[in-house]
Amino acid sequence: MMGCWVLNEGLSIILVLSWLGVNLYLFIDTFYWYEEEESFHYTRVILGSTLAWARASALCLNFNCMLILIPVSRNLISFIRGTSICCRGPWRRQLDKNLKFHKLVAYGIAVNATIHVVAHFFNLERYRWSQSKEAQGLLAALSKLGSTPNESYLNPIRTLPMNTTTELLRTIAGVTGLVISLALVLIMTSSTEFIRQASYELFWCTHHVFIVFFLSLAIHGMGRIVRGQTQDSLSLHNITFCRDRYAEWQTEAQCPVPQFSGKEPSAWKWILGPVVLYACERIIRFWRFQQEVVITKVVSHPSGVLELHMKKRGFKMAPGQYILVQCSAISSLEWHPFTLTSAPQEDFFSVHIRAAGDWTAALLEAFGAEGQALQEPWRLPRLAVDGPFGAALTDVFHYPVSVCIAAGIGVTPFAALLKSIWYKCSEAQTPLKLSKVYFYWICRDARAFEWFADLLLSLETRMSEQGKTHFLSYHIFLTGWDENQAVHIALHWDENTDVITGLKQKTFYGRPNWNNEFKQIAYSHPSSSIGVFFCGPKALSKTLQKMCRLYSSADPRGVHFYYNKESF
């Protein structure tokens, strides 16, 4: 029963292993090239194997810097998601893990940068020591090169009394290397969850130090501190014959003084494409930011949820997509993701926002949703909207059977889906691959049902009118209630409608038994591909992943559950 694991989680492992494989190949191939390349033979005499360590890690650093911006190009990812020819099935689901891949690549940058810096510390020490009196033979001869006008140097440290650190900071490579290291430390430390939660502005500002990071990286190699023998010199100076005759280099015609030069910088070639792509991404975002957003309706629900209806020129969406919202009256830097709760068929787009932090609490207060009178339309704060962007839920219609599971405010992504289903059922001519939807909502507070119950009631009525009551099966679970609610339920019990929601389907009290639920679904659809879509806490997500693995058949002809988690 490992079908879901292989096709869903297993593909993620394939992606990680592919990334690791490319890094290892680049590192090992570059390492051995610098260990064996003839033009760097004399460089290895001074530096030893730390030359290869520094150059191999530098190439892997360039590779990862090329990748780091692509996962955060939301418009590119949304475009790829919409191109079904290029991105289908399991590969499509990997796009929802773009931020995880972004973090993975960041760790790769940190590891390779550390190796590169440590290797160069050893290189500097070896350069310095080769100028000392203890250095003898070929090592001393190589370090002395460059003293006369017709010679090119190999050792960038020209005299022993020279302060290595001071001299390094006089070079392009030294200054940019220091800036790159400081920028990387700043970005990595401020990206921790604690910092993001405590001060999002700090996280946002320090993350944009990446501009300095990439500029410094592009010009870092111009210093050309690590030098190798030129091709012209190699054709005249046979290393095998001449390396032991270093005392005769000035006089022996067969062994002229070897000439050296630094390698052409290449980091800019790796990062140019992604940087241009990301620049286009930011231009698109800025253009969207300038577009006017008209707030047409504000609803304050008793459960502490703010509902906003908005309009924007040229705005097109699909069920399950999300937008980024900015309120300059609260913070000009913070953009927060919210799932769209309206259907594409409606002439507006909407979000439901619950106070779950400083920013959302301030937004509810700004709109007068915290026990105050709602603001007049002309007094409402200005909102900027970026998006919409694709998300896992957009794949619901691609399965014959879909299981939608929400916890608390995590129900918002499914509002747009259920509304879209309502409209599609109203359009008799619209063919649907989706033939069955199971909807589960687990909530602690009975008041949270209020804003969503009307939608379910209208959908329930529409399905009944069209004879499609079998199409949607929904199960609502209340996990928290007090004695007063229990008395109210007992006094107002009705066989036909639920006391809390007013729906025909009764509310369950407690938590669902997922073993029983998945077993029943698997039994009802023995040969189907079933998409499982979840929005909620991590603990429940792990349980649902386990259920998908457990109840997926090992037989390709059997039932298979494909897990998808809503993430931003």
Side-chain angles (χ1 to χ4, degrees), residues 236-301:
L236 300 173
H237 180 103
N238 186 296
I239 293 176
T240 305
F241 178 77
C242 298
R243 63 187 175 188
D244 296 326
R245 294 175 171 81
Y246 55 86
E248 304 169 5
W249 284 354
Q250 301 284 354
T251 57
E252 179 65 50
Q254 292 182 332
C255 295
V257 176
Q259 301 296 316
F260 302 93
S261 66
K263 192 177 180 182
E264 289 287 332
S266 61
W268 66 272
K269 299 176 183 178
W270 288 85
I271 64 175
L272 179 62
V275 167
V276 170
L277 182 68
Y278 189 73
C280 294
E281 168 85 10
R282 297 309 293 258
I283 291 171
I284 293 171
R285 290 190 193 180
F286 180 76
W287 174 69
R288 285 176 172 168
F289 170 75
Q290 296 297 322
Q291 291 180 309
E292 183 184 9
V293 176
V294 179
I295 302 171
T296 59
K297 187 178 180 180
V298 179
V299 181
S300 178
H301 294 281

Side-chain angles (χ1 to χ4, degrees), residues 28-161:
I28 293 171
D29 182 67
T30 306
F31 186 92
Y32 280 106
W33 191 87
Y34 276 94
E35 282 285 276
E36 298 171 0
E37 172 59 26
E38 190 178 37
S39 61
F40 286 93
H41 175 81
Y42 287 135
T43 314
R44 289 193 297 272
V45 171
I46 298 178
L47 302 181
S49 62
T50 53
L51 167 68
W53 281 98
R55 301 312 301 163
S57 58
L59 188 69
C60 290
L61 183 63
N62 291 339
F63 170 68
N64 285 283
C65 287
M66 178 186 71
L67 296 178
I68 192 71
L69 293 177
I70 297 174
V72 291
S73 299
R74 297 177 186 268
N75 289 291
L76 173 65
I77 292 173
S78 293
F79 173 77
I80 296 173
R81 283 193 65 90
T83 310
S84 58
I85 295 175
C86 301
C87 187
R88 289 181 177 177
W91 289 108
R92 187 183 179 95
R93 290 193 290 276
Q94 295 309 304
L95 294 174
D96 302 318
K97 301 176 182 178
N98 59 317
L99 293 183
K100 289 185 178 180
F101 186 67
H102 175 73
K103 294 176 183 177
L104 179 67
V105 173
Y107 291 133
I109 290 175
V111 169
N112 284 291
T114 302
I115 295 172
H116 187 71
V117 169
V118 171
H120 272 314
F121 270 122
F122 279 100
N123 288 338
L124 285 172
E125 182 57 30
R126 288 173 184 268
Y127 275 137
R128 188 198 66 79
W129 186 84
S130 64
Q131 290 286 12
S132 66
K133 294 179 180 179
E134 288 83 4
Q136 302 292 328
L138 178 60
L139 180 62
L142 290 170
S143 293
K144 297 295 187 292
L145 290 176
S147 302
T148 59
N150 64 334
E151 294 178 352
S152 59
Y153 69 89
L154 177 60
N155 189 340
I157 296 179
R158 307 307 304 142
T159 56
L160 182 61

Side-chain angles (χ1 to χ4, degrees), residues 391-500:
L393 197 59
T394 57
D395 294 338
V396 164
F397 292 101
H398 297 166
Y399 295 93
V401 180
S402 288
V403 180
C404 302
I405 304 169
I409 197 64
V411 76
T412 53
F414 301 104
L417 169 68
L418 295 177
K419 284 182 181 180
S420 187
I421 290 174
W422 188 91
Y423 281 106
K424 287 180 184 292
C425 288
S426 301
E427 301 165 3
Q429 314 238 342
T430 305
L432 278 177
K433 181 179 180 180
L434 182 65
S435 60
K436 180 68 177 180
V437 176
Y438 293 90
F439 176 63
Y440 294 84
W441 188 12
I442 304 101
C443 197
R444 184 178 301 170
D445 187 0
R447 295 181 303 164
F449 295 126
E450 296 166 3
W451 72 271
F452 203 70
D454 290 340
L455 172 61
L456 288 176
L457 183 59
S458 63
L459 188 61
E460 186 179 64
T461 304
R462 172 65 66 176
M463 295 297 179
S464 179
E465 290 174 353
Q466 297 192 355
K468 296 182 179 180
T469 53
H470 66 283
F471 185 87
L472 174 67
S473 296
Y474 58 89
H475 310 270
I476 299 175
F477 292 83
L478 180 62
T479 59
W481 66 91
D482 55 28
E483 185 178 347
N484 292 332
Q485 287 175 320
V487 172
H488 175 77
I489 293 168
L491 292 175
H492 297 84
W493 177 260
D494 190 329
E495 290 290 339
N496 298 319
T497 59
D498 184 69
V499 176
I500 294 177

Side-chain angles (χ1 to χ4, degrees), residues 204-220:
W204 190 92
C205 290
T206 53
H207 231 61
H208 279 71
V209 175
F210 83 91
I211 299 171
V212 177
F213 176 91
F214 276 98
L215 285 174
S216 300
L217 183 66
I219 62 176
H220 179 64

